[in-house]
Amino acid sequence: MTVQTDVNTIPTTGAEHPATSAEHIRLVEQAAAHNYHPLPVVVAKADGVWVTDVDGKKYMDMLAAYSAVNFGHGNTELINAAKAQLDSVTLTSRAFHNDQLGPMCAALAELCKMEAVLPMNTGAEGVETAIKTARKWGYTKKGVAEGKAKIIVCSENFHGRTTTIISFSTDSQCRNGFGPFTPGFEIVKYGDIDALKSAIDENTVGFLIEPIQGEAGIIVPPDGYLKQVREVCTENNVLFIADEIQAGLGRTGLTFACEHEGVHPDIFILGKALGGGIMPVSAVVSSREILSVFTPGDHGSTFGGNPLSAAVARKVIEILNTREYQDNARDMGAYLFERLRAIKTDKIKEIRGRGLWVGIEFKESAGKAMPYCKKLMEMGVLCKDTHQQTMRLAPPLCITREEIDWAVERMEKVLA
Ligand SMILES: *Cc1c(COP(=O)(O)O)cnc(C)c1O
């Protein structure tokens, strides 16, 4: 196959004759695997809730990189922390210590009201790490027979894309063509406490759950469910593993989505926003006892806990400790819901979510969510569909009332 666009004609930033969006999209279609179906917008710059494409058109980012950009694009505090660290040291590997990791872990453990942290990079690695933690805890602390550990997960879950994680996905597209799969998982209905109770047996080491399901369409479980999960896990000596990679770190109006029900899991898995939209940073956060199942050589990652990531994460934690972003997510979230629910339209089946995290599910008769996302894009609002019928809104948590008004005006036009 011949590549029509000469790579050398795509100039880097600051070039006199920048390539157009169309040229960039053609190039990515030729040279990159087609494992995504992005909206046809090519972002070149970003600031706060706004992004600018290569043609100079401005859009409001109502997705925030799936909550990885919770603190806004180009957040000065975060960028400065990264820049300062770039000039000091960026990578040591865990063969040596670095002066950022300890302070980051201590601050993160405190934020989570936990005791210890195991740093990784991507969310999927964090989930893999939590699975390994629960299994080894089962064998060494609970007394489960070798090779028998079972982890219970939920229907419609999304925990990442590794071979083990897709093994317990209920989305056939995630699995098709990628077997054989990792055994040791049982799937129960999300939000159904009796299903969890009946699935637990003497080999059950953990229950892995998103306190609000993101990719499934911002599904909030029934009131009281997470409290019951906590009780059932405690009664049965099963680890409650909360995947707060997307729900956590301010998105829902509190630091953790579990806090809405006043529950504390045994393990938090964090990612996305922990890296401030700059670095991939994930972590498993738990008690000293649970994380003590790891001994040197058991597990690791070359980039996990690197000083650049740790410096950015430290600043993220510092920002979260001010509670400004959580408070704004709560207040602006309430305002966004109020405005959206007031839109007169016969296209919407349900508007749901928490904080600045909204799923707008379209009626079958209104068609799929994607065409509405495309129309919004043309009007300057970027968001994405999930599970065909649902439009997801998750703007950076620094969004203002005026910016919400601006977005809602456009939503009104598209939904009318
Ligand atoms: C995004 C996400 C993951 C996976 O994170 P990656 O960084 O993409 O590997 C895992 N769990 C949840 C709930 C997520 O939203």
Side-chain angles (χ1 to χ4, degrees):
M1 201 185 89
T2 53
V3 175
Q4 283 139 19
T5 310
D6 180 358
V7 180
N8 298 317
T9 65
I10 303 276
T12 48
T13 345
E16 254 177 88
H17 301 291
T20 63
S21 288
E23 286 169 303
H24 278 285
I25 290 168
R26 212 179 306 124
L27 186 59
V28 91
E29 280 183 355
Q30 284 164 356
H34 294 182
N35 56 329
Y36 276 95
H37 185 55
L39 287 174
V41 55
V42 182
V43 174
K45 273 180 119 168
D47 183 30
V49 301
W50 299 95
V51 301
T52 309
D53 75 4
V54 291
D55 306 321
K57 189 175 171 197
K58 235 173 144 179
Y59 304 82
M60 185 183 289
D61 179 2
M62 288 290 266
L63 186 66
Y66 303 97
S67 289
V69 187
N70 274 4
F71 313 106
H73 291 281
N75 181 300
T76 316
E77 282 185 274
L78 293 171
I79 297 288
N80 287 344
K83 281 183 178 165
Q85 194 58 39
L86 279 172
D87 286 332
S88 305
V89 57
T90 54
L91 185 61
T92 55
S93 84
R94 297 290 300 275
F96 314 131
H97 289 279
N98 70 69
D99 68 355
Q100 295 301 312
L101 181 59
M104 189 279 278
C105 291
L108 185 57
E110 194 187 332
L111 182 79
C112 298
K113 300 190 174 71
M114 294 279 194
E115 294 164 350
V117 172
L118 202 167
M120 298 296 282
N121 310 284
T122 66
E125 282 178 305
V127 173
E128 288 276 350
T129 302
I131 290 168
K132 287 172 77 174
T133 306
R135 284 180 168 184
K136 195 162 182 204
W137 173 86
Y139 300 130
T140 59
K141 312 262 177 178
K142 182 165 173 169
V144 172
E146 188 57 41
K148 296 280 187 214
K150 177 167 101 177
I151 293 174
I152 301 172
V153 298
C154 293
S155 53
E156 308 301 318
N157 70 73
F158 183 83
H159 297 287
R161 299 291 199 166
T162 65
T163 318
T164 287
I165 294 170
I166 60 156
S167 295
F168 54 81
S169 174
T170 53
D171 178 348
S172 57
Q173 208 206 335
C174 292
R175 290 164 53 93
N176 284 350
F178 300 122
F181 301 110
T182 308
F185 300 95
E186 183 172 336
I187 300 161
V188 299
K189 190 161 173 261
Y190 187 68
D192 182 344
I193 197 69
D194 292 326
L196 172 64
K197 281 184 194 161
S198 1
I200 290 177
D201 59 24
E202 75 275 13
N203 294 326
T204 305
V205 296
F207 179 46
L208 171 63
I209 179 176
E210 298 158 84
I212 293 176
Q213 288 188 322
E215 298 311 297
I218 329 297
I219 309 292
V220 182
D223 269 349
Y225 173 67
L226 295 175
K227 253 201 186 91
Q228 290 175 305
V229 166
R230 176 65 280 177
E231 284 163 18
V232 169
C233 286
T234 304
E235 274 163 27
N236 293 280
N237 197 23
V238 164
L239 300 179
F240 176 176
I241 308 166
D243 179 346
E244 293 239 15
I245 290 170
Q246 196 168 157
L249 308 185
R251 174 58 52 194
T252 66
L254 291 173
T255 308
F256 301 105
C258 282
E259 284 181 77
H260 289 281
E261 289 206 16
V263 302
H264 196 58
D266 298 299
I267 297 177
F268 274 124
I269 313 170
L270 303 173
K272 292 200 168 102
L274 187 57
I278 298 173
M279 294 293 289
V281 189
S282 65
V284 166
V285 190
S286 186
S287 67
R288 165 73 34 220
E289 197 210 337
I290 290 168
L291 281 180
S292 75
V293 301
F294 291 108
T295 56
D298 277 3
H299 186 58
S301 159
T302 305
F303 281 84
N306 73 74
L308 180 56
S309 292
V312 173
R314 280 179 78 180
K315 189 54 81 176
V316 164
I317 297 157
E318 204 182 301
I319 289 173
L320 285 167
N321 280 326
T322 69
R323 306 198 67 82
E324 275 170 46
Y325 286 82
Q326 293 93 316
D327 291 350
N328 197 59
R330 180 196 60 213
D331 297 345
M332 289 304 110
Y335 181 60
L336 177 59
F337 272 96
E338 182 193 314
R339 292 288 323 259
L340 289 173
R341 290 199 165 120
I343 295 178
K344 287 188 182 54
T345 169
D346 56 1
K347 295 186 167 70
I348 294 173
K349 185 173 166 194
E350 188 182 34
I351 301 178
R352 56 178 178 252
R354 205 159 243 170
L356 274 170
W357 208 15
V358 187
I360 302 174
E361 187 175 337
F362 286 84
K363 288 181 186 162
E364 296 285 336
S365 58
K368 297 196 189 323
M370 186 57 160
Y372 298 98
C373 296
K374 283 224 171 99
K375 269 186 218 150
L376 277 171
M377 186 197 106
E378 282 157 22
M379 299 172 86
V381 178
L382 297 181
C383 63
K384 201 82 205 293
D385 60 321
T386 180
H387 278 229
Q388 314 279 347
Q389 290 308 122
T390 303
M391 176 188 282
R392 164 193 0 219
L393 301 181
L397 307 182
C398 55
I399 196 166
T400 63
R401 186 174 275 263
E402 291 68 35
E403 286 164 338
I404 288 178
D405 288 338
W406 191 91
V408 170
E409 259 171 55
R410 279 145 188 84
M411 305 270 314
E412 278 166 346
K413 290 202 180 102
V414 166
L415 296 174

